[in-house]
Amino acid sequence: MPTASPLELARFPRFPLIEGPTPIQPLARLSQQLGGADVYVKRDDLNGLGGGGNKLRKLEFLVGEAQARGADTIITVGARQSNHARLTAAAAARAGLQCELVLTRLVPRHDDDYAENGNILLDSLFGAHIHDLPGNANALEFAEARAAGLRAQGRNVYVCPLGGSSPVGCLGYAACAAEIVTQAEALGMSFDAVVVPNGSGGMQAGLVAGMTALGRSRATPPIVGYGVYGDAVAAQAATLAKANQTAQLLDPSLRVPDEAVVVDGAHLGEGYGIPTDGMRRAVRLLASTEGLLIDPVYGGKAFAGLLHAIETGVYRTGQRVLFVMTGGLPGLYAYRSAF
Ligand SMILES: *Cc1c(COP(=O)(O)O)cnc(C)c1O
């Protein structure tokens, strides 16, 4: 059931995929071991449909929009181990839509687990039709051409962008911003920062747009993103643009200040989907001290960034930092060889 939100999101069509607010939990053992700030997690990995993850919040609005347009088919794009593609396939199954995935071999990993296990195994279980493209292919162009072909046969096709990060998709994380502020108020605490991975940037953009809207009447924490996809300067500009487009949907008079979007690219390593030592350490540390799992492509690198910030005193004793756990567990099985 969609959560009550002060952001007037009820006017946007929404297909229910999540159960309600996800818990905020303290990481007492990890925080004690690190010393310094207290780390909390927002358990967006617990939204369970299709193996769970952050894309479900966006897909509520995306599938809602697709249905409102009378779509019978949804097509989206991503890398071979895309969590977004997997969750689009699951949401489409749930909604009774055909699903096609245009997946590229963008990430230079060629072992069997990467090519066939993890997300890609689940995509086929959900009944999605998979188009397997080389790493340098333009997936969105391919998707649009495929959509045109299907439309010529009388199908009604909804094309969903990379990461589901259209402004409408980002509304899912504007709603999450309201959820976080409401939960923090109920817990009687405030957070000094909310930390997230930045892939296609939609989660961060939505959170920033939501916090900007809420910030007119309440205290809201800054959002700090760690870039995992590519150049951080480009990611910051794209995320700011997306945050403003999302804010426009919430309220045409709303403008997101430039400084509200911060993307740190220092933990990306050699590129998207390429493991780093910091990621391996972060995944192992969270698993072995708290029994919690983050993924190697997004959460692992963002958590490496947070660990670095705590260890270098960016966040101090007595401060509270909220890390959004975004799911992506199937990715761990695809990255067996990286561990
Ligand atoms: C997609 C994804 C992200 C990043 O979200 P964006 O909106 O693309 O920036 C983070 N974590 C996981 C597990 C994801 O699948």
Side-chain angles (χ1 to χ4, degrees):
M1 213 179 59
T3 35
S5 155
L7 294 179
E8 294 182 43
L9 292 166
R11 60 209 157 89
F12 297 97
R14 196 164 175 177
F15 180 73
L17 295 170
I18 63 181
E19 300 301 322
T22 57
I24 289 178
Q25 300 167 340
L27 300 187
R29 275 172 48 77
L30 181 100
S31 301
Q32 192 184 14
Q33 185 165 325
L34 291 175
D38 289 320
V39 182
Y40 290 73
V41 282
K42 170 82 172 150
R43 297 292 308 275
D44 270 19
D45 58 316
L46 290 181
N47 282 321
L49 186 83
N54 75 336
K55 300 308 178 308
L56 291 172
R57 287 192 190 267
K58 300 179 188 176
L59 284 161
E60 285 204 319
F61 289 91
L62 295 166
V63 173
E65 183 175 65
Q67 288 181 322
R69 291 184 188 170
D72 52 44
T73 303
I74 186 163
I75 303 184
T76 199
V77 299
R80 187 138 180 105
Q81 285 292 337
S82 166
N83 299 301
H84 164 66
R86 181 230 330 150
L87 288 171
T88 301
R94 181 78 155 198
L97 301 170
Q98 300 289 310
C99 180
E100 299 200 8
L101 306 175
V102 182
L103 304 181
T104 65
R105 306 258 180 174
L106 170 70
V107 177
R109 294 186 76 77
H110 308 289
D111 58 288
D112 270 5
D113 286 321
Y114 188 85
E116 304 300 340
N117 203 346
N119 286 293
I120 197 87
L121 166 65
L122 304 185
D123 294 342
S124 67
L125 297 183
F126 296 132
H129 179 89
I130 293 162
H131 302 274
D132 179 12
L133 269 59
N136 60 1
N138 185 330
L140 199 55
E141 220 168 77
F142 183 100
E144 293 290 1
R146 174 72 180 158
L150 290 172
R151 284 176 191 132
Q153 296 167 26
R155 299 257 293 271
N156 184 332
V157 184
Y158 180 88
V159 178
C160 181
L162 185 74
S165 291
S166 67
V168 161
C170 295
L171 289 173
Y173 269 93
C176 182
E179 192 175 300
I180 290 170
V181 169
T182 303
Q183 283 177 305
E185 285 172 359
L187 291 166
M189 64 170 64
S190 61
F191 291 105
D192 295 284
V194 176
V195 173
V196 296
N198 182 307
S200 63
M203 175 171 56
Q204 185 170 357
L207 284 169
V208 167
M211 291 298 181
T212 303
L214 295 160
R216 293 185 293 198
S217 56
R218 298 149 96 168
T220 56
I223 311 293
V224 178
Y226 285 96
V228 303
Y229 192 77
D231 177 63
V233 175
Q236 185 156 317
T239 303
L240 178 62
K242 224 161 257 184
N244 268 306
Q245 289 162 1
T246 309
Q248 292 284 298
L249 290 179
L250 294 172
D251 174 353
S253 74
L254 192 63
R255 202 179 163 281
V256 174
D258 292 7
E259 63 275 12
V261 176
V262 176
V263 180
D264 181 342
H267 298 270
L268 167 68
E270 285 174 47
Y272 175 73
I274 302 177
T276 62
D277 289 341
M279 176 281 285
R280 279 183 272 261
R281 174 183 173 235
V283 170
R284 284 189 202 283
L285 186 66
L286 198 50
S288 62
T289 57
E290 298 283 354
L292 294 175
L293 297 168
I294 49 177
D295 82 289
V297 177
Y298 299 92
K301 288 182 180 177
F303 204 73
L306 175 57
L307 290 174
H308 180 77
I310 290 173
E311 288 166 343
T312 55
V314 172
Y315 305 111
R316 299 178 309 276
T317 304
Q319 292 193 305
R320 297 190 190 94
V321 184
L322 181 66
F323 180 78
V324 182
M325 285 184 64
T326 51
L329 169 61
L332 279 175
Y333 298 105
Y335 277 77
R336 184 173 64 100
S337 63
F339 290 90

